[in-house]
Amino acid sequence: MKDPDSPLAEKVSAAADNKGHRQRLRERFRKSGEEGLADYELLEFLLFSALPRRDTKPIAKSLLHRFGSFSAALAAPRARLKEIDGLSDVSVDALKAVHAAIARYHRAELNERQLLDSWSKVINYLQASMELCTVEQFRILFLDRKNGLIADEIQQTGTVDHTPVYPREVIRRALEHSATALILVHNHPSGDPTPSRADIQMTKKIIDVAAPLGIEVHDHVIIGLRSNVSLRGLQLI
C-alpha cells in the first residue's frame, strides 16, 4: 500500500490540485471572460502554457507585488521580469507577446483611418506602446494629405529623462515618406506628462523647419502614466 504521506504521494496530490485549479480558472474565464478573473488570476492564466507543470499563482502574485499593476508587469523589461522566481525565457516571452499584441491591436485600429478623426484611438495606441517605457522615446507618426497614417517610427531612444532630437533629421524622414503632416510623440518615464521648456522649444524648431517645405506639425503629444498632454491642446504651439 502506498504511504499517503510519502514525498511521491504529496507531489501527485499537488499536481492534481494544480490541474483542478487550472481547469476551474479556465471554466470561469470561458463563462465570464476577463472580468471574471482578478489581475493575478489573468496573469496565472497567461503563464499556463509556458509553465505547464508549475503552480503559477505565486508567480503571478509576485509580478503584481514587484511591478504594481497588471499592465506594468506586461511592460516590464525582460531583465527585471527574469528576477521573478519561476520565470524563464519562455515564460517571459509569453508575457511580452501579450504586451506586443495589445500594442499591435491598437495600431491596427489606426490603419486606413484619418488619424485626426480617430484621436481617441491614436491616444490608446500611444499609451499602450509608451506609457510604461523606462527610458524616453521620441516617436513620429507620418501622415498623408488625408491625415492617413503612412508610417510610425521611433526616431530616438534616450536616457530616463532625455532624448536627443534633431529637427533636420525629422524633416528628412518626412520627405522620404512624402508626408505632409506629422504628429510628434514622446514619453516621460517619470509618469508626469507636463511639458518642459525644452519640449516646447524643440517642437517650435521642428515647426519652423517644416513649414517652408509644406509639412504641418499637427501636434506634439507627451505620454505619462495613464495620462497625456497635447501641446496643441495647451496652446503651446
Side-chain angles (χ1 to χ4, degrees):
M1 178 180 294
K2 292 181 179 179
D3 181 357
D5 295 324
S6 70
L8 178 58
E10 290 178 359
K11 287 182 180 179
V12 171
S13 177
D17 288 344
N18 187 37
K19 183 177 180 181
H21 171 68
R22 289 186 176 211
Q23 185 59 34
R24 290 190 293 273
L25 209 57
R26 286 191 176 100
E27 289 173 356
R28 188 141 46 95
F29 180 72
R30 290 167 186 164
K31 181 178 179 180
S32 304
E34 59 92 9
E35 292 188 359
L37 303 183
D39 284 351
Y40 79 88
E41 291 176 317
L42 191 54
L43 283 170
E44 279 189 78
F45 196 94
L46 295 177
L47 292 169
F48 280 174
S49 296
L51 298 168
R53 295 179 181 83
R54 183 152 185 164
D55 181 4
T56 57
K57 181 186 289 187
I59 299 174
K61 288 188 173 182
S62 293
L63 283 165
L64 289 179
H65 178 75
R66 175 73 63 87
F67 299 110
S69 70
F70 180 86
S71 58
L74 293 182
R78 285 177 175 273
R80 293 197 63 201
L81 287 171
K82 289 183 69 175
E83 293 172 359
I84 301 295
D85 184 35
L87 286 186
S88 63
D89 284 326
V90 172
S91 46
V92 169
D93 286 344
L95 296 177
K96 300 310 291 182
V98 173
H99 185 240
I102 292 169
R104 186 164 295 188
Y105 169 83
H106 285 299
R107 189 184 190 286
E109 290 283 285
L110 304 183
N111 289 342
E112 298 180 1
R113 292 178 181 271
Q114 292 185 350
L115 263 65
L116 298 188
D117 294 335
S118 310
W119 193 245
S120 64
K121 290 182 170 58
V122 174
I123 295 301
N124 287 341
Y125 166 59
L126 296 173
Q127 290 286 157
S129 301
M130 301 179 71
E131 72 172 343
L132 294 169
C133 291
T134 56
V135 297
E136 276 201 14
Q137 292 181 346
F138 178 69
R139 185 182 216 113
I140 307 175
L141 305 183
F142 298 93
L143 311 183
D144 62 21
R145 293 185 182 280
K146 294 183 179 180
N147 291 320
L149 181 64
I150 299 173
D152 164 23
E153 295 181 355
I154 296 175
Q155 293 294 303
Q156 300 287 340
T157 299
T159 63
V160 294
D161 60 0
H162 178 67
T163 301
V165 177
Y166 306 100
R168 293 192 182 279
E169 179 64 17
V170 171
I171 301 309
R172 182 183 70 80
R173 290 299 291 155
L175 293 173
E176 289 175 351
H177 284 300
S178 299
T180 57
L182 309 173
I183 297 174
L184 311 177
V185 192
H186 82 280
N187 64 305
H188 281 179
S190 67
D192 179 3
T194 303
S196 66
R197 182 182 300 274
D199 293 334
I200 299 167
Q201 291 174 341
M202 177 267 290
T203 306
K204 289 181 176 179
K205 287 180 181 178
I206 294 175
I207 291 172
D208 289 344
V209 177
L213 299 172
I215 300 171
E216 183 177 357
V217 176
H218 284 318
D219 207 342
H220 185 168
V221 179
I222 303 175
I223 301 296
L225 183 61
R226 291 185 290 277
S227 59
N228 58 82
V229 161
S230 157
L231 267 64
R232 181 76 64 186
L234 293 177
Q235 298 183 340
L236 295 174
I237 58 173

